[in-house]
Amino acid sequence: MPDRQTCCLHLRGFISLLTALSFLIMTVSGVILFITPQGRVAYWLDWTFWGISKSQWGDMHITTSLLFALAGLWHTWLNWRALVSYFHDKVKKTVALKWELAVAALITIFCTVGGIYKTPPLSYVLELNDWIKDAWVKSPDDEPVISHAELLPLNNFLKKVDIELEPALAELKKQGITVSGPDQKLLDISRSNGKSPAAIYKLLKPLEGKTADQTAAAPVVPAVRQPLKPVPPATPAGARQVPARQLWSAELIQQQFEGKGVGRKTLAAVCREQQLDQAAIIKKLAARKISATPDDTLKKLGDESGELPIELLKIILVGEQRN
């Protein structure tokens, strides 16, 4: 096919450059998305790279991938005769590069299917991806207190974390945080003040569970002399008092762990943190036809059993004592 020229553009050269440049940007955005934190963490910390947020990197990757696909199709159309000639042996009247085509097709199919079913060694790449994303969480404060908390209006967010509105507004004003009103989203408040949603919540966290009266300065009350109470009998030597501990319920687990990324925890880590008998928990899961090992993550067990990680955590903890 002869070269084509449109206006001042050399069409073949233009399409080749467009394909190469879109591939370059698509590759860069793909690498960045590979190392970004999990979405809930990225939005909670207002994470950026080169001043570009996770969602913006994702949008860039989609648009440049589309551009690369269109440019690639156009490039193929312009070079169709050369491509057909490349695969056709005019002397033997057969298809050339049979083995090369077969091997290339097998590799492509393996990567496609292996990505879906997490087949080794592709599963190692995906596990590395999870490890890199989880490595951004340096402390419990880096995990959102509730899923997508940054998208909630301030008054709704405060209700969910048990903080009263008036003391919260007063505290934010004291800290120099400007709020247009209780209906302003937490993310908008954070960005307009140059802070992350996590930083805003950290300022308000001391107010959790307190009423407006409790947050005000408490008046000094003279001490009242109380009558002496009988001293309880001493505990016998060698005896140890065990404080009563509350049992885990499904509601408590949902409230405390929802949106906290429990899927990345291994079964061994959950048992260690909650002081549970690892063997007993594995038997407990086996009774629900869930085969588990200590090194399995809740996400992996959930993928295999069709359960969400938070639901698996309920199976593990409900009825157990809280530490």
Side-chain angles (χ1 to χ4, degrees):
M1 187 180 291
D3 286 357
R4 300 182 182 183
Q5 187 165 336
T6 305
C7 298
C8 301
L9 287 178
H10 186 280
L11 194 55
R12 286 179 182 274
F14 165 70
I15 294 301
S16 296
L17 289 172
L18 186 63
T19 304
L21 290 174
S22 59
F23 172 76
L24 175 64
I25 302 300
M26 180 186 69
T27 302
V28 171
S29 61
V31 170
I32 298 301
L33 289 173
F34 185 85
I35 64 171
T36 58
Q38 299 287 359
R40 65 181 188 280
V41 176
Y43 303 136
W44 183 241
L45 299 177
D46 202 16
W47 179 93
T48 61
F49 189 83
W50 291 342
I52 303 173
S53 69
K54 179 184 173 76
S55 59
Q56 290 172 324
W57 278 111
D59 294 341
M60 183 195 308
H61 188 69
I62 291 172
T63 54
T64 52
S65 296
L66 177 61
L67 178 61
F68 175 71
L70 294 175
L73 288 173
W74 198 350
H75 188 277
T76 302
W77 178 73
L78 287 176
N79 295 279
W80 181 251
R81 287 185 182 177
L83 187 64
V84 171
S85 177
Y86 184 72
F87 284 103
H88 188 263
D89 190 328
K90 293 182 180 179
V91 177
K92 296 182 179 180
K93 307 292 185 181
T94 59
V95 177
L97 304 177
K98 290 181 180 179
W99 284 108
E100 291 80 356
L101 178 60
V103 172
L106 285 174
I107 292 174
T108 302
I109 292 171
F110 174 74
C111 290
T112 303
V113 176
I116 296 172
Y117 294 102
K118 297 180 173 59
T119 305
L122 298 176
S123 60
Y124 306 147
V125 177
L126 299 175
E127 288 170 5
L128 174 63
N129 178 234
D130 289 338
W131 182 84
I132 292 174
K133 289 179 178 296
D134 292 337
W136 290 96
V137 178
K138 305 296 184 183
S139 71
D141 291 337
D142 293 339
E143 288 277 6
V145 61
I146 51 176
S147 184
H148 295 298
E150 72 284 347
L151 299 179
L152 294 174
L154 179 62
N155 53 355
N156 289 0
F157 171 74
L158 294 175
K159 287 178 183 177
K160 290 183 177 292
V161 294
D162 195 20
I163 298 176
E164 293 196 0
L165 178 60
E166 293 305 322
L169 292 174
E171 180 63 24
L172 291 175
K173 184 177 181 181
K174 177 182 174 182
Q175 297 291 340
I177 304 298
T178 303
V179 181
S180 63
D183 293 329
Q184 188 178 11
K185 289 183 179 180
L186 183 61
L187 183 61
D188 294 336
I189 295 172
S190 66
R191 287 182 174 173
S192 63
N193 289 276
K195 294 182 177 292
S196 67
I200 298 293
Y201 172 62
K202 191 174 182 179
L203 296 175
L204 298 174
K205 193 172 181 179
L207 302 179
E208 280 187 6
K210 296 182 179 179
T211 65
D213 293 336
Q214 289 174 319
T215 55
V220 178
V221 179
V224 178
R225 187 179 181 86
Q226 298 292 336
L228 293 176
K229 294 182 179 180
V231 179
T235 304
R240 190 176 68 177
Q241 291 183 336
V242 180
R245 296 192 293 176
Q246 186 178 10
L247 298 182
W248 282 110
S249 66
E251 292 75 16
L252 281 171
I253 295 167
Q254 190 80 26
Q255 180 182 352
Q256 183 159 336
F257 295 103
E258 185 181 20
K260 296 293 183 66
V262 295
R264 63 188 173 87
K265 292 182 180 293
T266 63
L267 184 61
V270 172
C271 292
R272 184 172 59 253
E273 291 171 4
Q274 301 300 325
Q275 300 177 11
L276 302 174
D277 184 334
Q278 191 170 275
I281 295 302
I282 290 177
K283 284 185 178 180
K284 190 176 185 181
L285 290 170
R288 301 288 291 269
K289 298 183 179 180
I290 300 172
S291 178
T293 65
D295 294 331
D296 287 339
T297 63
L298 295 190
K299 183 178 185 302
K300 179 177 181 293
L301 293 175
D303 291 340
E304 293 174 352
S305 63
E307 296 279 0
L308 293 173
I310 190 70
E311 297 302 322
L312 282 174
L313 191 63
K314 290 177 183 177
I315 294 173
I316 294 169
L317 293 183
V318 167
E320 303 290 341
Q321 287 190 325
R322 299 179 66 183
N323 59 16

